[in-house]
Amino acid sequence: MYATVRSKNAAAAVMFKELYKTPSPLIDPETGEPMEATPPNDFETENVVADAAMYDALGLGLSRGEMYGVMLAMKRLGEDPEKKLATVRFFGKMLGTTADYYVFESTLKEPAPAPEGETAEGEVPPEASGQGANTYTYFVCQTLGGPFTKLPDVTPATIRCARLIKRYLTGDLAADVSAYPAFPGLEADYLRAMIGRIASATVVCPAGMFTLDEETGAVNKVEEYAPGAAEDMVELDRWAHRYPHVKPQGRCEFYAAPIPEPEEGEEPAEEVEPETSPALLSTLDADAESDAIDWGAAVTAKNEEGEEVQEGRPAWASCTSSTVPGVKFPVIGIKSLVWPGAFVAYDASTGAFSNCYVGYGFKNAPFVPAPPPEIQNEFGFTPEPEPVEEGEEAPEPAEGEEVPEIPKESSELPPLPEPEPEPEEGEGEEGAEGEEPAE
């Protein structure tokens, strides 16, 4: 065991060391001379080193040394000419039992092709890549400097099932997700569903920094936005949700299944009422009284009269890098109480802010396992009646013939058999009183 751990640590150290080296040029196998290197991909990203300073001031997130490795790994990912990424952001670190995942959020320069295959009848189709819950593409690596793996797009089925189960990550993307209800995928799909839920609920921005186009629904940055003061940014109404809400259906945009045309004499089917969600760019102070799935912190409880009422709970908490009054350059932190480990750091001197998540992917809510399916009734062993053709009457029983009563199906178990009576004392024994012994 210790030898395995040492070998894993040694391999991780070697891969991390490669991040600090200049990549060696490829050699032409025919001429033996260095080949012309492909120019690196141009991409946009955040100032990870500056973000690490804010995390360190608040005592949240990862250390400065680990964040420097994140910056180098992000550089390698973004400059890869084959991936063609437009933007890269460090989402956070998902913790597992045997290995962890460093998660990177990205957008593509070219839209990904639509997945092959059709959605089964009766199922909700997933949103296309680059839209809704699949707006961003996520890459993960288990070791800084190790290979990157692209996670699959999220589907409504994986989102809905992930909300019903609670399970630790193992660190193996190809591992089965053993849970009830049965999860429709592997750990890579489960990880992607958890990331989608957390990102939708916890990625925030200063209120007023972006505006929503009512016609197109696009989010545009306000050029005249002025950063808020530190004493103002500790208030929750100064922060807003940056990503759209994922509805209970598992999509950001509600999907209404087509209603089949009724046959003659049948009434048309009723239209399904679309699910509603909190508005994009809504402020965080509304989450305390909201019961929106994955966003709100309100719970249903019973009052003294036994009626169910909705009680508000704190959804966010603020903190500062220093409680000493008069500090010139404080750092403000807003932490999620619904998803412990998610936070945003804000530098009042520059107006820069950064979102991050470090945790196991568990929601701070009572977990109630899904109940098993209903037990089927006992099978009734009854004689099958003879088939009767249409227009004919069933034959009447002859005189004296008893008609067997068809028992109804019952969910009760059959009665236990009565125990056999125990033999009386001396009965059946050799040489008992009143009996002559055998010769």
Side-chain angles (χ1 to χ4, degrees):
M1 175 181 177
Y2 294 106
T4 305
V5 173
R6 286 197 299 269
S7 61
K8 289 183 178 180
N9 292 340
V14 171
M15 288 186 287
F16 186 73
K17 184 179 179 181
E18 293 296 324
L19 290 174
Y20 291 85
K21 293 184 177 180
T22 303
S24 304
L26 299 177
I27 304 300
D28 191 339
E30 297 181 356
T31 62
E33 297 181 357
M35 299 175 58
E36 185 177 355
T38 305
N41 176 61
D42 187 21
F43 69 102
E44 295 182 2
T45 186
E46 298 175 341
N47 189 343
V48 180
V49 177
D51 295 345
M54 290 192 294
Y55 299 169
D56 187 59
L58 293 171
L60 301 174
L62 306 180
S63 64
R64 290 198 182 192
E66 194 170 6
M67 287 296 293
Y68 194 83
V70 167
M71 182 270 294
L72 296 177
M74 185 184 301
K75 174 179 177 295
R76 174 180 292 186
L77 174 64
E79 290 182 348
D80 190 342
E82 297 181 359
K83 293 182 173 58
K84 300 178 181 179
L85 303 182
T87 62
V88 181
R89 182 182 77 89
F90 178 59
F91 170 83
K93 186 177 182 180
M94 302 291 290
L95 308 179
T97 55
T98 60
D100 305 328
Y101 296 106
Y102 293 92
V103 184
F104 299 88
E105 182 184 273
S106 66
T107 56
L108 307 178
K109 291 183 176 180
E110 300 177 1
E116 299 180 358
E118 298 181 356
T119 306
E121 185 178 357
E123 293 187 1
V124 179
E127 294 176 289
S129 180
Q131 300 178 10
N134 290 318
T135 300
Y136 298 96
T137 302
Y138 292 89
F139 293 85
V140 298
C141 64
Q142 295 183 345
T143 304
L144 296 176
F148 292 97
T149 303
K150 179 183 175 183
L151 295 180
D153 285 346
V154 74
T155 63
T158 57
I159 286 284
R160 293 196 304 269
C161 189
R163 286 169 171 163
L164 299 176
I165 63 178
K166 186 175 183 179
R167 187 177 185 275
Y168 283 99
L169 297 170
T170 64
D172 181 9
L173 293 175
D176 294 327
V177 181
S178 302
Y180 178 82
F183 186 79
L186 303 176
E187 182 163 300
D189 304 278
Y190 180 54
L191 174 61
R192 177 62 182 86
M194 294 170 65
I195 293 172
R197 296 174 60 198
I198 296 171
S200 169
T202 64
V203 175
V204 299
C205 63
M209 188 175 187
F210 296 91
T211 58
L212 185 64
D213 192 331
E214 296 181 357
E215 296 182 358
T216 63
V219 178
N220 302 318
K221 188 174 181 179
V222 178
E223 297 181 358
E224 297 82 9
Y225 172 77
E231 57 270 16
D232 297 332
M233 299 306 291
V234 296
E235 303 296 333
L236 299 182
D237 58 355
R238 300 300 300 268
W239 293 90
H241 286 279
R242 175 67 179 81
Y243 291 174
H245 177 255
V246 180
K247 293 178 171 61
Q249 189 186 53
R251 292 167 52 106
C252 294
E253 183 179 353
F254 183 76
Y255 171 77
I259 301 176
E261 297 183 359
E263 298 181 359
E264 295 184 1
E266 294 184 355
E267 296 182 358
E270 297 181 358
E271 296 184 359
V272 180
E273 186 177 352
E275 299 172 351
T276 59
S277 290
L280 184 61
L281 299 180
S282 58
T283 54
L284 303 188
D285 58 331
D287 292 350
E289 302 293 336
S290 172
D291 61 349
I293 191 168
D294 291 338
W295 277 29
V299 296
T300 302
K302 292 185 177 181
N303 56 12
E304 297 178 355
E305 300 176 356
E307 300 176 350
E308 292 187 352
V309 294
Q310 186 172 308
E311 293 184 356
R313 299 285 181 86
W316 298 85
S318 61
C319 61
T320 59
S321 59
S322 177
T323 58
V324 178
V327 174
K328 294 295 184 181
F329 305 107
V331 178
I332 307 301
I334 304 293
K335 302 182 294 184
S336 173
L337 302 181
V338 179
W339 293 96
F343 66 93
V344 58
Y346 176 80
D347 189 348
S349 61
T350 61
F353 67 97
S354 174
N355 292 271
C356 186
Y357 175 82
V358 180
Y360 289 95
F362 292 157
K363 184 180 177 181
N364 182 21
F367 175 68
V368 180
E374 295 183 1
I375 301 175
Q376 297 181 353
N377 295 332
E378 291 288 337
F379 180 78
F381 294 93
T382 57
E384 297 182 1
E386 297 181 1
V388 179
E389 296 182 1
E390 186 177 356
E392 296 183 1
E393 296 182 357
E396 296 182 358
E399 294 184 4
E401 183 180 357
E402 295 182 359
V403 180
E405 183 180 354
I406 301 176
K408 298 181 179 179
E409 293 184 353
S410 174
S411 60
E412 298 181 359
L413 297 175
L416 296 174
E418 297 182 0
E420 298 180 359
E422 298 181 359
E424 298 181 1
E425 185 178 355
E427 186 178 326
E429 296 182 4
E430 185 178 349
E433 184 178 355
E435 295 185 2
E436 297 181 0
E439 295 183 356

